[in-house]
Each structure stands twice: as C-alpha cells, then as structure tokens.
Amino acid sequence: MSDLTNIERRKLERALGMGSGYVLNFSNRTFDDFFTDILGVDIYSEKYENASGSKANRMRVFWDKEANHIVAQVLDALAKDWSEYAGYAANPPGDDFLKIIQRLKSSAPVPDIGSIKPISEEKGFDALAKAVRESIDRNEPEAGLDRFHTFLVKYFRTLLEKHGGESDREKPLHSLVGAYIKLIKSKGLIESDITERILKSTISVMEAFNNVRNNRSFAHDNEVLNYHESLLIFGHVTSSIRFIESIESAAEKKTKVEFEDDIPF
C-alpha cells in the first residue's frame, strides 16, 4: 500500500475535485479506459470497490492498496495530460501535486519501472510487461529476471522494425541494442557524443545480461542471482528504457510536424 499522509491525500483530493465523488472530468468509461491504458488494471473490479463505488472512492481504495510507485505512475500520467482529463480551461496541477508525485517515485524500488510497457500489439507483449512489473511490485526482482530479458528482446526487435532495421530472430539482445543505437544515430536522434557513449555502454550491459538470464535466473534450473544485484540490473536498464522512450516520443513528434508541413493548403 502507498504511504500517502492525510495531508497529501487532502491535497490530491482537492486537485482532482474528488469532493463530490468525481475525479476531474472522467466519465465511468474514460476512467476505466485510463486505468486500463496506464496500468492494465480494471479499476471497476471488486478489488477497488468501496461504499458507493464512485470514481473518487475507487481512487481512494487504489491509493490504499497499491504501492507508492504505482500510485505515482497514475498521478504522473494525469499531470502530463492534465488539460485532457481536467478540461482545457483548467489550471495545471500545483507544486504540491507534483511534489507528492516525486516523493512517491523516489521511494520506489525501481523508479522507472513504469517504462516497462508494450510498444506494439504483438501477442503476449502486454502480459509479459505486466509480469515484469509485478515482480517489482512484489519486491522480488530476482524472480523477474528471465521475463525482463525476454521483454527487452521483444522491445528492441519492435523498435528496429519500426525504424526499418533488421530484427533477425537469431540476434542476441546486445546485438539488437547495438543495431538500434546505430540506427537512431544515423537518423540524427542522438545529439551529443556523451549520450552515444552512454547508450553504447548499454550494449555490454545487455551482453552480460544474456549470461545472467541463462545461468542466474529462473529461465533454467539455476541458482538465482541475489536480490540487490537483481535490483541493480532492473534500475540501470529501466533508466535506459525511459531515456529511449523520450527519444522515440521526440522522433514521433518530429515526424508528425514534417508530415503536417507537407500537406498542401
């Protein structure tokens, strides 16, 4: 469960307009869609039911039952698209709201675990991402190493296909990462040498992860890597994924602008 204080809860409730049972401008359908899209959870399941079953009450139960970083993920998603959920005339969330998000994020065992999500509709991708996140939710990173490795293989194959690169199914993880970095460098999506060097260092990390997956995870009958080293792997790799996510987002916006500029009027 989250450790939101009573003062933090009151601040969040005021910002989200929860006094009358609502949450921002959500309808029942859009509230359901939001939680499905962000977390893959059913906010209208019995797990989050309480009293009237209103959107506000379900949000309160969600805060009670989910870990800090899960709550932070939802609040962060609301803050980033505030006008979409609160209305375009609404004032943006205040500093108190953003500070609460940062505090919740900082207490997460893997702050960037929210970046582990499917980037295509390939069969099983969503279930795989969910299984990886759940290993962190249970604070058992060592139990999720094999699925994390499988997720990364799917993730980088998908990115290579998106950019028109070769995603040979025989390529190991580190080769996929190397090919992806080379592609985005050639497309001008990396601006500085130091960023390229940091990303390239990820190649050797992924190569070592191949060995961990084969010899120190539940992929086979192995002695599993210890908790703290497993947590280090998760933290290091998810921070790289979060950065890659920002690169891909910027590339999509750039493509959209170029497309719109090409439309004749």
Side-chain angles (χ1 to χ4, degrees), residues 4-19 24 59-60 63 75 78 82 92-101 103:
L4 285 167
T5 66
N6 289 331
I7 291 175
E8 287 176 328
R9 285 171 176 266
R10 287 196 291 272
K11 288 178 178 178
L12 292 176
E13 292 205 13
R14 281 198 298 271
L16 296 173
M18 292 167 58
L24 298 179
M59 181 67 91
R60 294 180 184 110
W63 293 345
L75 296 176
L78 291 174
W82 190 260
D95 286 345
D96 284 345
F97 192 91
L98 301 178
K99 286 177 181 177
I100 292 170
I101 293 173
R103 186 191 73 74

Side-chain angles (χ1 to χ4, degrees), residues 31-81:
F31 197 58
D32 188 22
D33 289 345
F34 172 78
F35 277 91
T36 299
D37 292 343
I38 300 301
L39 291 178
V41 302
D42 179 6
I43 194 64
Y44 283 97
S45 68
E46 290 185 7
K47 178 180 179 180
Y48 304 109
E49 191 169 346
N50 179 45
S52 68
S54 68
K55 289 180 283 294
N57 275 335
R58 289 183 182 278
M59 181 67 91
R60 294 180 184 110
V61 176
F62 177 80
W63 293 345
D64 288 338
K65 293 194 172 182
E66 301 299 345
N68 280 356
H69 66 285
I70 301 295
V71 174
Q73 191 175 343
V74 164
L75 296 176
D76 195 36
L78 291 174
K80 285 178 178 176
D81 287 306

